[in-house]
Amino acid sequence: MAQCVQSVQEFIQDTFVPMVAVLCSEAADGSTRKNNLSFAELVRPFCRLTSEVHMRDPNNQSHVIKNLRISVTSIVTQPPQQTTIRKLLSEVVSASQPAEGLVANVITAGDYDLNISDRSVKASVPWYNNWKDTLTQLSSSKFHAATTPWFEAYREYFFQSMPPSDHEFLHHYLACMLVVSSRDSDPMEQFFKLSQEQHRIQHSNDYSYPKWFIPNTLKYYVLLHDVSEGGEERAETVYEEMKHKYGTQVCYLLKFNSRMPSSGADEQIPDPWSQYLNRNNLQNQEICDGFVPPASKSKECVIGVELDGLDNSINDGIPNNFKSHPFQGSAKSRELDGPDQAKPVEAVNTMMKQNSSGARGLSLTLTDHDRIRQFIQEFTFRGLLPHIEKTIRQLNDQLVSRKGLSRTLFTATKKWFSGSKVPEKTINELKNASSLLYPPEAPELQIRKMADLCFLVQHYDLAYNCYHTAKKDFLNDQAMLYAAGALEMAAASVFLQPGAQRQYPTHYMETAIQTYKDLCKNLVLAERCTLLSAEILKSQAKYSEAATLLIRMTSEDSDLRSAILLEQAAHCFINMRSPMVRKFAFHMILAGHRFGKADQRKHALRCYSQAMQVYKGKGWSLAEDHINFTIGRQSFTLRQLDNAVAAFRHILINDSKQMAAQQEAFLREYLYVYKSVSQLSPEAPLPQLPLPYIKSSATRVFFGHDRRPSEGEKQAASHVSLDQEYEREASQQWKELEERVVAIVNKGAIPQNFQHTQYCLNSQTDNLRFPVAVVEEPVTVEVVFKNPLKVPLLLSDLSLLWKFNFKDFMKGTEEDARESISNEKDSHMKASHNIFTEVINEFQISGEETKTVRLKLLPRLTGELHILGIVYNLSTLSSALKQDGLDSSSGTQVAANCLNVSSPSLAKSGIKPQATHNLHQPSSIDQLEYYHGLSWTEGKVPHGLSVRGRQDLEIQGPRLNNTKEEKTSVKYGSDRRLDPIITEAKPLLEVFFINFPTGLLCGELRKTYVEFVNVSQCPLTGLKVVCKDPDFFSFGSKTSALTPLSPTASENCSAYKTVVTDCVGTSSAITSSVSPADFGMDSGNSRWVIDVPLPDSVLLPAASVQLPLWLRGPDEEGVHEINFLFYYESTKPHSKSSHRVLRHTAIICTSRSLSVRATACRSNALEAEAKSDIDNLLLFLDVANINTSEAGVREFHIIQVSSCSEHWKLQKCINPTEDKDAKLSSRERAKLCFRATRCQHSEATSSSEGRYIFADIVLGSEQIISATTPCADFFFQSCNAALSRKAALQTTMVPSRPKTGHVTKLVQKCNEVDLNIIVLWKAYVVEDNKQLILEGQLHVALQSIGKEACSLPHVQEAQEMVLLKFIRLEQPQLPARPSLEQLSHLIKISLHYPEYYDHSFHQKSLCLVPVTLVLFNCCQIEVDIIVDLRHKATSPEMLEVHGSFTWLGQTTYKIQLKGQEVHTVALKACFVHAGVYNLGTPRVFAKLADQNVQCETSQQNSSPALIIINSV
C-alpha cells in the first residue's frame, strides 16, 4: 500500500478512542464562537495526552497508557444518512489532490522508473534507490509525506462517519461534558438543565441515537469564563459552588479569550486547528459554492449520488432541537435550540462561508492554549480514567459473580481455554443469525463491553482474553454479527500487544470480513475490517495478502470505495520484494476506471497517468490507446485542454491496431478538443497537427517550371522533373558534363565559387549550400504524407508556410533595410505582391496510404526564402459507418458544458447532469469500457468538423564523419534545401526535338530538327551542348550550308548530299579533299563540347530558332541512354552564377543492320616500269546482313564504299556486281574487293598537309558526297571516339612497357595502313504496308596489313582473376626491337612470267622460260637482301610440283635496296617435260642494313605462281 504519515499502531489507536459527548449552553457556545469554533472544535487539537498515564487493572496491577487520545464531539440525535456520508466522502477525496509543482517520487522497479508519489520527499536519501531498505524505514518514519493523502482523508472520514452499533461499544459515549458560561444568569441552573437533558437523551425511548456505554455515564461540569468580559470573581464563586455540589473530581473552571481587542494585530499565534478543520472547511466551502442543502435539492443535484448506486432519499427535517450529525449536511448543525425547519439557502451558505473563511482562535493566547491542554489532562486524569477503571472493576465483578467462577478473570483464563473447548464451525456451516439481539444485561455483552473498555485504554492482553471469550459465546449462539466483531477486535488486540508471543491471527480478520459481507450483508463493517487488516498485513510486509483483501472488497455498490481500495492494492504490488509492475499498472487502470465512474476525474486522470508509465513503449498499442483516450477525455472534462490534446495526439501518432470505426471516433474526439483549444486562444500561433505523418527526409524541392508536354512530333527536352527518380550515378554524370563545359568556358579552370546546378533537391543530393532560384520562376516542394489510420483524411486549404527576407544582391548589404515577411499570421493568403502561394482546396488521403503533394511558391523579389512547413485544415470525410449496429458517432459525445457551463454552481461542484452511457463496445464484467462515467452531452461531433494547424518541415542533415571529433560523436550537417536564395532574372531556354526517333538501326542516319526557344525576358548567348556520345549527333560543319542540295536528295528525302553520276556503272573512285578543321577537329574544345550554331550567337527574348540535327544510330545494338546538357549564359552580369543548363536524356533503341569486316594485303601487281603504282593494296570487304528482321527490314543495298585517309585512297572496285549495288537479304553475305593506292605526290603536298582524301566508289546510281555533312561529320566524330578510346587504353597499360626505338617505328610504319572505309547502305523497310527507305553508314578503320578490322565495336571479355605477383624492380629496359612478324614484311616480292608456254620437247628436250623477280623495299631505310633459288621441299606435295624444274644460272643473289626502291632480277627456269609448275620457290631473306643482326629474316612469299607448260 501507499506510505502513510501514521504508523499502523498509531492509526489503530487513534481510530478507537474513548468517546466524550458535549452539551453547551447558549452563552457558552457564544463565547467559543468568538474564535470561529465550537467547544468541541476548540478542544480537539489538545485531546492527545503528552504524558504517560497509569491505571490499575482488576488484578490491581499497574498499567501504563501512552499517547492516549480522546474524542470530544457535540451530541447529535440523528444518525447520518448513508447517501450523505457517501457524498461527503466523495468530496473529501476530491478535495485532497496531489500538490502541484513539487518534486516527484520515483520508484525504481526492475527496468521501470515509476513516478508514483505526487508529494515531495523530505528524506535526505534518494527515494527508493534501495527500495528494500527504504521500505522498512518508511513504515515507521514520520519524515515522509503521505503518497496518497486522499486515501488517508477518506479513511479518516470513513471511521469518523461510522455510526455506533449495538453489537459493539467502541463508539459509545463514556462521558458527557456539560459546559456553561459564567455569563449565564444562573450557571447552576444551566448545569441542572443540561444534566437533565443528557439524562433524557440517554434513557428516553424517544432517542435511539447516540449510544451510551453504561447507564451511569460520567458527567463532567465545565464552567467557561471569558476573560475579555471580566467578572472573574463571579466565576470563582460559581466554581466553588460547583465543587461543593458535584465534587472536586468532576468540576473545572476553564478561562480563555484572554486576548484583548486592543492587542497588536501583528502578533503571530499558531493555528493548531488547521490540520483538523482545514479539510472540513474546504469541503464546506465547496458545499457553499456548489451544493444546495437537502431541503431545496433539485432532481439534478441528486443524480451525482444516484450514479454511485445509492438511495437519494434524504430526511428534510430534524425531529428534535439537537444538532444533527455533522455529515447530515443540515443548516441546523450550528445551534442548540434552533427552529425545527431548515434555514433559507442563502443564510446557510453565508454562515458556512463565514465559518470556513474566518481565522480561528483570534481571541486566544498561548496561555489559553496551555489552559485548554491542562483542562483536557485534568479531565482525563481525574475524571475519565478513574471512571473507566471503576467500570472495568464493576464489569469484572459482575461477570465473576454471574459465572460463578474464581475471583478475577485473570485466574479463570486458563480454565476457560483449557477445558471443554467447543469446536468452531465454519462460516458455511453457520446459519444467518445476524438478527439475533442480546438484552443489554446479557453476560456476553458485558464481556464485550469489558473487552472494548480494555482496548480503549490500551490493555490489549486483557482485551484479547475478553474478545476471545465473547467470540466463543457468540459462535455457540450463532450470533454471527457479534462473533465477527469479536474476531476483528481480537486480531487487532493481538497485533497491538507489545512483545506478544501470539502470532497475528490473519484468519480471524478473513473470517470477520467474510461474515460481514456474506452473512450480515454489512459492507461498512466489512470495509472497516478490510482497512484494518490491510494496514496490519502491510506493516508485516505481507503485500500480496493485503492486495488480495483489498481487491476482494471491491464491488459494484460503491465506485469510490472500489477505486480507493484498488489503488491501494496497486501500491501493494509495487512495494513487494519483487515488484509486480504490470499488476500495479493494471490495478491502477481499474482504480482509474472506478474513479471515473465515481466522478473523481482528477484521481482517475492521475491513476491512468501513472499506469501509462508501465504500458508506454512496450508495444501494447491497444492498452496505450485506451489509457491515452481516457486521459484525453478526463483532461478535457477538467479543462486541461493541452493535456487532452497531447493524449489524443499520442493515440493518433502511434501505430494503432484499432478498427477503422474506432480510429475515426478517436480522430473526431481529437478534432473537437483541438477546436475547443483553438477557440479559447484564437490569436495564438497555429499548433502542430499530428496527422498525417510527414516524411521530412523524403521532401523534395524543385526549382523551375514544369516540363512542357509533347505536342505531336514536337518533343520537349526531358530536363529535370519531380516525376523522375534520383540516380546518384546519373547525377554524377551531369555534374561531370557541367564541369567540363564550365572549365572550357573559363579557359580550362573551374572557378572556386562554382556551384553545381541542382534543379531537384532530395535527401541524396548535396544540400550543404543554399540553392539558387530565380525570380518569377516557381519553387515546388513535394511533401510525402502517410496516413497511419485506416480512415481517410481530408486536408483543405493546403499551402506552404514561409518566411522571406528582402535582399538586393547587386547592391551592398548596407542598403538592404526592408523587413522580412511571412505568411504565418495570415496563412490563408493565396497571393501577395512578393510571394505567390499556391493553395490546394482539397487533398484526400485514403486509409494507410502514402501520398505526395506538390505545393508551389512564386517569388517576385530577390532575397532569402525560408520554407518553414505546411498549413492546412484537417478533417474527416463524411461517412456513416454503421456496421453491425455500431454507430461510429456514438463515442463522440463531448462535454460541451465543461467549456460553457450555464450554472456556476454546477461548474464548481462537479455535479454532472444525467448521462446515458452509450458505449462503443458492449460492457461486460471482465472488460473495461473505453467510455465510462464521463459527463458527455447528448450533442455529437459533426463529421465535417475541421481544425486548422501546421506541421513544420524539419530536415536533418547528413551525419558528419570527416574529422576525428565528428567520428567519435554524433553530429549532423546542415540541410539547406528549404532555404533557397532568390536571384535576379536569368534567361530560360526551352528545347524541342522535332521528329526525333526512338529506334534506329546500327549506323542508320536520320535528319531531324531541334528548336531553341528563349521563354524569358533576358537574351541568352554562348549556347553549347555537352554529350559523352558526340558521335551520335551533329549540327553540321561550317561549310555544310554552302553545299547545295541535289535534286535527287530532295526528291528522295535523303539526309546526304547526293549527285547523280555521269558514267553509270563505273567502278573508279571519285576523290575530294577536306580539312578536318571544317568539321571541328582542330578546335580547342573537348570533343564532348559542341557549339550550337545560333544566328549571331544570341537568342533574343521570346525568340526561337530551328536547326537541323543529324543522328546516327550507335554501332552497338541495345538500348542507349544519351545525355545532352545544353549550356547557355546571360548577356548581363549576375551576382551569382550567370550560366544555366538544360538537361535532356534521349532513349534510343538500336537493332542490328550490317556487319563489315575488312582486311588489307599487299598487291602482287608490281611493275618495274610503273613507279606510281608500285605501292598498292588489295582491300577485301566482307559485308553480312545480321539483321533479324525485327524492324521489318526486307533487304539492304550497298550503294557506295568510300575511303578517307591522309595517305591512302580507294582506286577501283575489282569485282563490280552486275546489279550495280550489292543486295543483301536476311542472313546473306557479300564479298567485295577493292584496290587501294597511296595518294600521289601532288595530292600530299605541303600546302595540303593535314587534309583528308575522300574517295567514293559508287555502286548505285547516285553519288553520296562523303566529304560533306553529314557523312564527314560522323566519320570525324568516330575517328575522335577511336582516338579517345585508344588514349584511354594506353593510360591503363602497364607503365614499364619498353620504349619504341626509331628503327622500330620505321619498320612498323611500313606495315601500317591508315585507311578508313565508309560503307554507305540503304535498307528497305515495310511498315504499316508502306515501304520506307532507310540509309546509313558504317565505319571500318584499317590499321595494319593482314589484320582484320570490323565495324562492330569490340567487346572486351572479362579478365579472369589472377594471383597477385610480386616482381622485382629491374633496370630500365632497352628500346624494343622489331618483331619477326614486322621484319617478315620488309620486302614485297613479285614474279613476272607467262601463264602459258608452248614448247616442243621432241625437238628440244629442255624448255627455258624467262622469269623476272621484282623486289620492292617497303621501308624508308636500306635493307640487305639475299635471294636463294635453291629448292627446299617443305612437303612431299611441293616436291612433286616443282621437283621437275630448276633455276639456271646464279642460285644466290645479295642485293642492297634503298628505301622505297624497286629492283628486278632476271631468272630462267628450265623444264624437262610438260605440266603445271609453281614458280614461287625463290626464298628472300632481308635484314636492316644499319642493324647488327647476324641473321636475316625470311620474307613472306607471295601467293603460288603457277605456270602451264604445254608440249606441242
Side-chain angles (χ1 to χ4, degrees), residues 28 103 124 270 328 333 335 639 679 791 1059 1165 1174 1180 1288 1335 1379:
V103 180
S124 60
Q328 186 69 28
S333 60
E335 291 187 349
R639 302 186 67 181
Q679 289 176 353
V791 296
V1059 176
I1174 292 177
F1180 299 96
E1335 52 191 354
S1379 64

Side-chain angles (χ1 to χ4, degrees), residues 601-750:
R601 299 187 182 93
K602 290 185 178 180
H603 289 293
L605 177 60
R606 176 185 50 78
C607 290
Y608 275 96
S609 300
Q610 289 185 2
M612 189 62 185
Q613 300 174 87
V614 177
Y615 289 100
K616 185 178 181 181
K618 298 299 184 299
W620 300 331
S621 60
L622 295 179
E624 282 193 67
D625 290 346
H626 165 70
I627 297 173
N628 280 305
F629 180 79
T630 308
I631 291 175
R633 277 201 159 182
Q634 297 287 12
S635 300
F636 181 79
T637 309
L638 296 171
R639 302 186 67 181
Q640 300 177 9
L641 301 182
D642 293 337
N643 293 338
V645 170
F648 281 114
R649 176 189 178 93
H650 194 76
I651 298 177
L652 300 177
I653 63 176
N654 272 353
D655 187 11
S656 177
K657 297 180 181 179
Q658 302 284 355
M659 296 183 299
Q662 192 69 59
Q663 291 181 354
E664 186 177 8
F666 288 159
L667 179 58
R668 287 199 299 270
E669 291 280 358
Y670 170 77
L671 294 180
Y672 186 87
V673 174
Y674 183 91
K675 190 78 171 179
S676 303
V677 174
S678 60
Q679 289 176 353
L680 292 179
S681 54
E683 299 299 328
L686 292 175
Q688 299 287 333
L689 289 176
L691 292 176
Y693 289 176
I694 293 182
K695 297 182 179 180
S696 297
S697 60
T699 302
R700 297 194 297 170
V701 185
F702 177 72
F703 304 99
H705 295 280
D706 293 336
R707 175 192 174 193
R708 282 195 185 182
S710 300
E711 300 176 359
E713 299 296 333
K714 203 172 184 180
Q715 177 185 357
S718 59
H719 194 43
V720 183
S721 69
L722 290 172
D723 297 327
Q724 301 172 358
E725 294 292 335
Y726 177 80
E727 296 181 2
R728 187 178 298 275
E729 295 181 0
S731 177
Q732 185 65 27
Q733 293 178 6
W734 290 116
K735 183 179 180 181
E736 293 177 1
L737 292 177
E738 185 175 2
E739 290 177 350
R740 183 70 63 93
V741 67
V742 169
I744 290 177
V745 171
N746 291 275
K747 299 179 180 179
I750 299 178

Side-chain angles (χ1 to χ4, degrees), residues 484-500:
L487 287 170
E488 177 186 3
M489 299 312 298
S493 300
V494 172
F495 174 74
L496 293 175
Q497 288 182 19

Side-chain angles (χ1 to χ4, degrees), residues 1188-1203:
T1188 56
S1189 300
E1190 295 176 358
V1193 179
R1194 192 176 63 184
E1195 59 183 7
F1196 286 89
H1197 288 214
I1198 303 174
I1199 58 175
Q1200 182 173 310
V1201 177
S1202 301
S1203 67

Side-chain angles (χ1 to χ4, degrees), residues 253-268:
L253 173 61
L254 177 60
K255 299 179 181 180
F256 74 124
N257 289 349
S258 301
R259 191 176 185 182
M260 298 302 175
S262 60
S263 60
D266 296 335
E267 184 181 358
Q268 297 293 331

Side-chain angles (χ1 to χ4, degrees), residues 732-1021:
Q732 185 65 27
Q733 293 178 6
W734 290 116
K735 183 179 180 181
E736 293 177 1
L737 292 177
E738 185 175 2
E739 290 177 350
R740 183 70 63 93
V741 67
V742 169
I744 290 177
V745 171
N746 291 275
K747 299 179 180 179
I750 299 178
Q752 293 183 354
N753 60 348
F754 168 72
Q755 185 173 350
H756 171 51
T757 303
Q758 297 184 104
Y759 287 100
C760 185
L761 302 179
N762 53 47
S763 59
Q764 299 180 7
T765 55
D766 183 10
N767 304 324
L768 295 178
R769 296 186 179 183
F770 292 95
V772 178
V774 182
V775 170
E776 297 296 339
E777 293 187 14
V779 177
T780 306
V781 179
E782 182 185 81
V783 182
V784 180
F785 287 126
K786 180 184 179 182
N787 182 8
L789 304 181
K790 300 175 184 177
V791 296
L793 300 177
L794 180 63
L795 311 183
S796 58
D797 293 340
L798 178 62
S799 61
L800 288 173
L801 207 58
W802 49 264
K803 180 182 178 182
F804 185 74
N805 299 324
F806 296 100
K807 193 171 184 180
D808 190 352
F809 297 102
M810 300 300 293
K811 300 180 181 179
T813 56
E814 64 276 358
E815 299 181 9
D816 185 14
R818 283 183 285 184
E819 297 181 356
S820 62
I821 61 171
S822 174
N823 66 339
E824 290 188 63
K825 299 298 181 183
D826 185 12
S827 57
H828 291 276
M829 179 176 56
K830 293 186 178 180
S832 66
H833 298 290
N834 306 307
I835 304 288
F836 171 81
T837 306
E838 180 188 15
V839 178
I840 298 179
N841 294 330
E842 286 189 355
F843 183 77
Q844 179 180 348
I845 309 177
S846 302
E848 298 181 339
E849 180 187 11
T850 300
K851 195 173 183 179
T852 59
V853 63
R854 294 173 183 175
L855 301 167
K856 291 184 179 180
L857 297 175
L858 185 63
R860 292 192 169 94
L861 291 176
T862 60
E864 299 174 351
L865 178 63
H866 304 279
I867 301 174
L868 307 177
I870 59 174
V871 59
Y872 56 94
N873 297 325
L874 176 62
S875 60
T876 58
L877 293 176
S878 299
S879 59
L881 294 177
K882 294 184 179 181
Q883 300 175 356
D884 300 332
L886 177 65
D887 186 1
S888 63
S889 63
S890 61
T892 62
Q893 302 176 3
V894 186
N897 60 333
C898 294
L899 297 177
N900 301 312
V901 182
S902 59
S903 174
S905 62
L906 290 177
K908 293 183 180 180
S909 64
I911 286 187
K912 56 183 179 179
Q914 188 167 3
T916 58
H917 299 283
N918 188 7
L919 305 180
H920 279 273
Q921 301 174 352
S923 61
S924 63
I925 297 178
D926 301 327
Q927 185 180 13
L928 288 177
E929 301 91 9
Y930 275 93
Y931 317 101
H932 50 70
L934 304 178
S935 56
W936 306 123
T937 63
E938 293 296 333
K940 299 178 181 178
V941 181
H943 286 280
L945 182 64
S946 175
V947 297
R948 188 159 188 83
R950 61 182 287 179
Q951 285 202 58
D952 293 336
L953 294 174
E954 299 176 352
I955 303 177
Q956 188 180 62
R959 181 174 176 178
L960 303 178
N961 197 29
N962 297 324
T963 64
K964 180 179 180 181
E965 181 182 1
E966 293 172 351
K967 292 179 180 179
T968 56
S969 61
V970 180
K971 293 185 178 181
Y972 295 91
S974 57
D975 194 304
R976 306 291 188 183
R977 76 181 87 166
L978 296 177
D979 303 316
I981 296 176
I982 313 300
T983 63
E984 55 273 11
K986 291 183 179 181
L988 183 61
L989 176 69
E990 287 191 356
V991 179
F992 298 93
F993 297 89
I994 303 173
N995 296 325
F996 198 89
T998 57
L1000 294 173
L1001 295 175
C1002 292
E1004 179 186 351
L1005 204 74
R1006 188 79 61 91
K1007 183 179 182 181
T1008 62
Y1009 289 88
V1010 59
E1011 181 179 6
F1012 299 95
V1013 183
N1014 185 359
V1015 296
S1016 67
Q1017 301 299 321
C1018 303
L1020 65 85
T1021 184

